[in-house]
Amino acid sequence: MTEPARDDGGAGESTATVIVAALANLGIAVAKAVAGVISGSSAMLSEAAHSVADTVTEVLLLTALRRSEKPADEEHPLGYGPERYIWAMLAAVATFVGGAVFSLYDGVHTLVAGEEPGDPLVSYVVLAVAFLLEGYSLRTGVRQARGEAARIGAPFRRYLRHTPDTAVKAVVLEDSAALIGLVLAAGGLLGGQLTGSGVWDALASLCIGLLLLCVAWVLGRSNAELLIGRPLPKTVREGIRAELLTVPHVEAVLELTTLIQGPREALVAAKVDFRDVSTAAQIEWACEQAEQRLREAFPVVSRVYLDPTPGHAQRRAEGLNPWP
């Protein structure tokens, strides 16, 4: 079986999306930290921690994209695609530790110890600029996600929920959370300004922490599923089975296994019952034809392994247990 040419269009677009998000978050983190120190706002400091966590996340996602693009070699014959999910898992942990834990701690500390609200003007300006930058970053991620959803004919929300491109998913979720966090931080500042109490700021910090906790959980669960091994969607599996049955000399598909290895990489392995009267040469050419048809019909399929296997009748004749 020859190694297929990799489609790097999606990978390049994902890299650009992550770089835009990383640059935006880095600048925002510094501005929020300065504003938080000047205003004494725990919500602003939580938002600074949020942006730092997002920046670390983007760096880890860039590492994931770069390392997963390495071609297959003797030590890794199936390639490095799944490595992206290891780094993406670490990115989810960074969001949890760097953002959620700090925000929750800072909110609790402010409730217990209290705080003296400072001048919120700088914080408002930073929040406004951050909202524009985060909005641009989110627009970039959503544009890519919508394009990919349209390419495969899936609704946007369903695509975002099930996509194996966790880099784009992370950018969209984190930037969405960032925009919500900015609104919460502004609410905390306004509440403290109107009442003179730091409780509102502390509550905003706690809400930001809970928001980041949810994002970390969703991203961690998605990457865990892909690391464990997730098959192609049921409709795609049914299409693959139907395509195999159209190949000459194929009698039945006894067992079909699919495994997602990357956003545009999937492995297909099947136990196939060929006609008993087929020659060895005919079976070999049937396997080649099946592989070609699957790659043309399903571009995501990068590797195909077919195992000629006796069918139900032949197994019964030999006294073997039939396939379920």
Side-chain angles (χ1 to χ4, degrees), residues 48-260:
H50 181 176
S51 294
V52 169
D54 284 353
T55 304
V56 173
T57 294
E58 312 308 341
V59 171
L60 290 171
L61 291 177
L62 283 173
T63 303
L65 292 172
R66 292 301 182 188
R67 291 190 62 84
S68 65
E69 290 173 2
K70 294 169 61 178
D73 53 34
E74 187 176 352
E75 295 297 324
H76 298 84
L78 296 182
Y80 291 79
E83 187 171 349
R84 73 166 56 211
Y85 302 125
I86 297 175
W87 290 96
M89 176 67 81
L90 293 176
V93 173
T95 299
F96 172 74
V97 176
V101 172
F102 179 85
S103 298
L104 292 171
Y105 166 79
D106 201 43
V108 172
H109 179 268
T110 301
L111 282 176
V112 174
E115 70 176 14
E116 284 294 330
D119 185 2
L121 178 61
V122 176
S123 295
Y124 285 132
V125 173
V126 169
L127 288 174
V129 174
F131 196 90
L132 294 177
L133 292 175
E134 294 284 10
Y136 177 77
S137 177
L138 177 61
R139 176 175 172 269
T140 303
V142 169
R143 179 190 297 173
Q144 181 184 349
R146 287 191 181 280
E148 288 296 310
R151 184 179 66 84
I152 64 175
F156 173 71
R157 290 186 179 181
R158 183 175 180 182
Y159 169 81
L160 194 63
R161 186 181 303 117
H162 299 290
T163 177
D165 192 347
T166 52
V168 173
K169 185 173 185 174
V171 169
V172 172
L173 290 182
E174 289 176 354
D175 285 345
S176 299
L179 291 176
I180 297 173
L182 291 172
V183 173
L184 291 172
L189 285 170
L190 181 61
Q193 186 178 7
L194 294 176
T195 64
S197 170
V199 172
W200 293 99
D201 207 40
L203 292 176
S205 184
L206 290 173
C207 289
I208 292 169
L210 292 174
L211 178 65
L212 291 177
L213 193 63
C214 291
V215 171
W217 166 255
V218 171
L219 292 178
R221 184 178 61 180
S222 297
N223 286 289
E225 289 178 354
L226 290 161
L227 280 172
I228 294 170
R230 200 174 82 188
L232 290 169
K234 184 178 180 181
T235 54
V236 178
R237 299 198 304 270
E238 292 174 349
I240 290 174
R241 184 181 293 273
E243 192 68 35
L244 287 174
L245 290 173
T246 65
V247 176
H249 304 286
V250 172
E251 289 285 337
V253 178
L254 304 173
E255 183 179 312
L256 177 65
T257 300
T258 63
L259 179 65
I260 294 174

